[in-house]
């Protein structure tokens, strides 16, 4: 919005700073962080009053989690509020990539909200049917993927190669939708400990802030041998808003958490990262940068598959962060060590920009 106003005025004086992506990206971080910190206390208080008993806690989960009963959920609404306001203020809203990312973020957030609401209303960990959730997620992701393909083509690029790609044609929306849905649910499965999902999302957003900036600049993209995506650079501002909103939420989600993000936040943030990766043609690199989320999701898939076939479990409990809790690791130990892994994977993912 401010970009359009400054453009209409001819970027006079201090408003000339708004021309620069770097300034608006930094401003989006600060704006989302400020809004999140300001609205946090009242928002959490309102959730606590409305929800009463808070998020239901699994009876078959780690016994240490039973102490978290009464903690309100749906804190993702706070994230989505600060993120959306920051984006509306600082982004060029004429960019179709902005609307594709917002459509997925808010759409997945709405699905997560329905799931959280159902759990709180029933006082049960069973929310909306998994099949219904997946159907809605694929519908939203499919629309966004189609919008992106119209602007961006249908090629799937491979890391460690110089612009080598496979053109999937009309199958590309299916691939892109799968990427978005899979990553949204991977982040959702990771969100099981205080702060566990939030910081890795922030780290991945920092990495993709670099990637979309470079992909959107024809000189940098040509030098690095990565696909050039005109106007993808604007998503640095989107990544900045995710970072700021995530930091503000982490302030209240740090152990012991005053609020949980719930599916409202985790699905939305995962879907947003998946969509940004699709825009930048870095879907495979997303699997490296977000490798922690991939491992969390795979631990659940492997556990379910093996248990159905043999009646035995590979992990003491899935997702895998609960396995380490069962081994005797304290919750802060699991969280901080997983943060370190996430940082290392992000650096590995960024290294693919040069190793070609």
């Amino acid at each position: 919005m401010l970009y359009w106003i400054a453009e209409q005025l001819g970027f006079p004086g201090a408003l000339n700073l708004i021309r620069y992506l770097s300034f608006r990206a930094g401003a989006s971080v600060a704006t989302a962080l400020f809004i999140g910190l300001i609205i946090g206390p009242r928002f959490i208080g309102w959730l606590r009053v409305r929800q009463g008993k808070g998020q239901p806690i699994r009876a078959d989960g780690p016994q240490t989690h039973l102490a978290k009963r009464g903690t309100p959920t749906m804190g993702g609404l706070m994230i989505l509020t600060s993120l959306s306001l920051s984006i509306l203020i600082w982004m060029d809203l004429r960019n179709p990539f902005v609307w594709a990312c917002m459509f997925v973020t808010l759409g997945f957030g709405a699905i997560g909200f329905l799931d959280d609401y159902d759990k709180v209303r029933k006082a049960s960990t069973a929310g909306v049917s998994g099949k219904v959730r997946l159907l809605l997620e694929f519908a939203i992701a499919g629309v966004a993927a189609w919008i992106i393909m119209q602007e961006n083509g249908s090629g799937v690029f491979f890391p460690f190669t110089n612009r080598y790609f496979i053109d999937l044609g009309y199958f590309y929306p299916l691939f892109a939708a799968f990427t978005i849905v899979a990553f949204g649910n991977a982040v959702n499965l990771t969100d099981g400990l205080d702060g566990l999902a939030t910081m890795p999302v922030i780290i991945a957003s920092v990495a993709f802030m670099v990637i979309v900036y470079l992909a959107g600049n024809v000189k940098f993209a040509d030098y690095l041998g990565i696909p050039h995506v005109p106007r993808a650079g604007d998503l640095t501002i989107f990544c900045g808003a995710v970072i700021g909103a995530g930091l503000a939420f982490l302030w209240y989600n740090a152990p012991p958490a005053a609020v949980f993000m719930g599916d409202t936040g985790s699905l939305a943030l995962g879907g947003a990262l998946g969509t940004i990766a699709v825009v930048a043609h870095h879907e495979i690199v997303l699997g490296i940068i977000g490798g922690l989320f991939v491992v969390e999701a795979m631990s659940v898939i492997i556990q379910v598959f093996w248990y159905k076939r043999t009646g035995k479990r590979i992990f003491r409990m899935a997702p895998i962060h609960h396995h380490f809790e069962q081994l005797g690791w304290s919750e802060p130990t699991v969280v901080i060590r997983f943060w370190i892994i996430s940082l290392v994977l992000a650096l590995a993912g960024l290294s693919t920009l040069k190793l070609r």
Side-chain angles (χ1 to χ4, degrees):
M1 183 181 294
L2 282 181
Y3 181 86
W4 181 83
I5 293 173
E7 186 180 49
Q8 299 307 306
L9 296 174
F11 298 103
L15 291 181
N16 188 54
L17 285 172
I18 296 178
R19 285 180 183 269
Y20 300 101
L21 281 176
S22 55
F23 172 80
R24 285 187 286 140
S28 70
V29 175
T31 302
L33 175 60
F34 177 76
I35 294 172
L37 291 175
I38 292 298
I39 68 174
R42 289 189 178 182
F43 207 94
I44 294 169
W46 176 75
L47 288 174
R48 186 174 289 114
V49 170
R50 297 290 296 179
Q51 295 178 12
K53 295 181 180 180
Q55 176 171 297
I57 304 297
R58 288 174 53 185
D60 61 342
Q63 295 304 298
T64 55
H65 289 204
L66 297 178
K68 300 182 180 184
R69 282 176 174 164
T71 305
T73 187
M74 299 186 194
L77 291 173
M78 186 176 84
I79 296 174
L80 292 177
T81 299
S82 53
L83 182 152
S84 299
L85 289 174
S86 181
I87 287 169
L88 289 173
I89 291 170
W90 294 109
M91 290 204 73
D92 181 0
L93 300 179
R94 295 167 296 183
N95 189 333
F97 294 145
V98 175
W99 293 108
C101 290
M102 283 297 294
F103 182 63
V104 170
T105 304
L106 297 180
F108 277 32
I111 296 170
F113 174 82
L114 292 174
D115 194 57
D116 287 335
Y117 178 79
D118 205 38
K119 291 175 182 176
V120 171
R121 183 176 62 86
K122 295 177 181 176
S124 168
T125 55
V128 177
S129 161
K131 291 181 180 179
V132 172
R133 274 181 43 159
L134 284 175
L135 181 63
L136 293 173
E137 289 168 16
F138 268 105
I140 292 169
V143 172
W146 184 261
I147 293 171
I148 294 168
M149 188 179 79
Q150 303 311 304
E151 300 289 328
N152 212 11
S154 54
V156 177
F157 289 77
F158 292 85
F160 306 111
T161 64
N162 191 0
R163 296 191 186 89
Y164 177 76
F165 71 96
I166 296 176
D167 191 345
L168 295 182
Y170 288 108
F171 289 102
Y172 181 77
L174 182 62
F175 168 78
F178 173 80
T179 300
I180 295 168
V181 171
F183 207 74
N185 284 280
V187 174
N188 180 230
L189 289 170
T190 306
D191 182 35
L193 302 178
D194 298 348
L196 178 60
T198 311
M199 181 54 75
V201 164
I202 292 170
I203 292 170
S205 297
V206 172
F208 271 96
M209 178 184 277
V210 174
I211 289 171
V212 293
Y213 180 80
L214 296 173
N217 186 299
V218 64
K219 292 183 179 179
F220 288 140
D222 185 62
Y223 171 72
L224 293 170
I226 62 176
H228 170 54
V229 183
R231 304 187 74 181
D234 280 353
L235 294 184
T236 56
I237 301 158
F238 196 105
C239 291
V242 172
I243 294 166
L247 288 171
F249 179 77
L250 188 60
W251 183 268
Y252 301 105
N253 185 236
V259 64
F260 300 140
M261 75 163 68
D263 293 0
T264 308
S266 56
L267 269 179
L269 293 176
L273 283 171
T275 310
I276 292 168
V278 169
V279 170
H281 281 310
H282 277 68
E283 300 94 338
I284 297 174
V285 173
L286 174 66
I288 301 174
I289 292 175
L292 175 66
F293 303 116
V294 175
V295 170
E296 290 272 11
M298 289 304 299
S299 70
V300 175
I301 294 170
I302 292 169
Q303 183 88 320
V304 172
F305 172 79
W306 193 250
Y307 185 78
K308 286 184 175 180
R309 287 182 63 89
T310 67
K312 298 179 181 179
R313 292 178 172 86
I314 293 177
F315 307 105
R316 293 193 177 186
M317 188 177 291
I320 199 169
H321 55 261
H322 291 320
H323 171 78
F324 289 105
E325 282 190 290
Q326 297 290 2
L327 289 178
W329 292 19
S330 67
E331 182 171 332
T333 299
V334 176
V335 170
I336 293 173
R337 286 177 178 173
F338 276 39
W339 285 1
I340 294 170
I341 292 170
S342 182
L343 178 60
V344 171
L345 289 171
L347 293 173
L350 286 174
S351 72
T352 66
L353 295 173
K354 187 59 180 172
L355 299 177
R356 293 175 184 264

